[in-house]
Amino acid sequence: MSSDCIFCKIVSNDIPAKKFYEDEEVIAFHDIRPIAPVHFLIVPKGHVESLAGCDASHQALLGKILLLAPKLATQLGLKGFRTMINTGREGGQEVFHIHVHVFGGGETLPKT
Ligand code: AMP
Ligand code: ZN
């Protein structure tokens, strides 16, 4: 737990979020500023800054998060989705607690 981390505070329920999935290791909640009709984040409960801060000890957790993405996307009615992991300030990361964005719904997403 990092005391000034907004996602740690969501994990500990110190600030509210539209959580719709939780297990012993991860949570998922809807992004507060969605960029698609459905846009959620999968977040490990433990504080890790970014993908660049991961090592072999995080391998199973990262795999779990990726395998969870299609399950949760299907639960929310998505037939396809895009995943995004922003890493570091230059990578567009704003919240320095690793998270995977999952978004889709509505129109076919443009090619990146
Ligand atoms: P990133 O740029 O990858 O670090 O993305 C951070 C994401 O977290 C952004 O899409 C924000 O809209 C989202 N976000 C920030 N604060 C909250 C919050 N309190 N609840 C839900 N989503 C949030
Ligand atoms: Zn954190």
Side-chain angles (χ1 to χ4, degrees):
M1 164 94 182
S2 175
S3 56
D4 56 355
C5 171
I6 193 161
F7 285 179
C8 281
K9 287 180 182 152
I10 289 175
V11 167
S12 61
N13 292 314
D14 287 318
I15 67 164
K18 290 186 187 164
K19 274 188 213 179
F20 64 93
Y21 177 84
E22 176 160 16
D23 65 29
E24 59 290 341
E25 290 174 310
V26 305
I27 59 171
F29 55 88
H30 294 280
D31 197 291
I32 206 166
R33 284 181 277 128
I35 60 168
V38 175
H39 180 182
F40 63 89
L41 304 174
I42 308 177
V43 178
K45 286 186 169 178
H47 183 86
V48 183
E49 260 203 12
S50 76
L51 196 55
C54 289
D55 58 32
S57 72
H58 301 101
Q59 191 164 315
L61 179 64
L62 292 171
K64 175 177 175 165
I65 288 172
L66 283 185
L67 290 174
L68 198 52
K71 290 192 184 129
L72 297 180
T74 300
Q75 273 178 31
L76 295 181
L78 296 180
K79 296 187 181 73
F81 60 88
R82 180 166 291 165
T83 48
M84 180 172 76
I85 307 174
N86 296 326
T87 303
R89 232 169 267 287
E90 286 186 27
Q93 188 175 4
E94 290 176 0
V95 176
F96 286 84
H97 179 135
I98 191 171
H99 51 280
V100 175
H101 294 254
V102 180
F103 53 92
E107 301 288 310
T108 301
L109 289 165
K111 293 287 174 208
T112 51

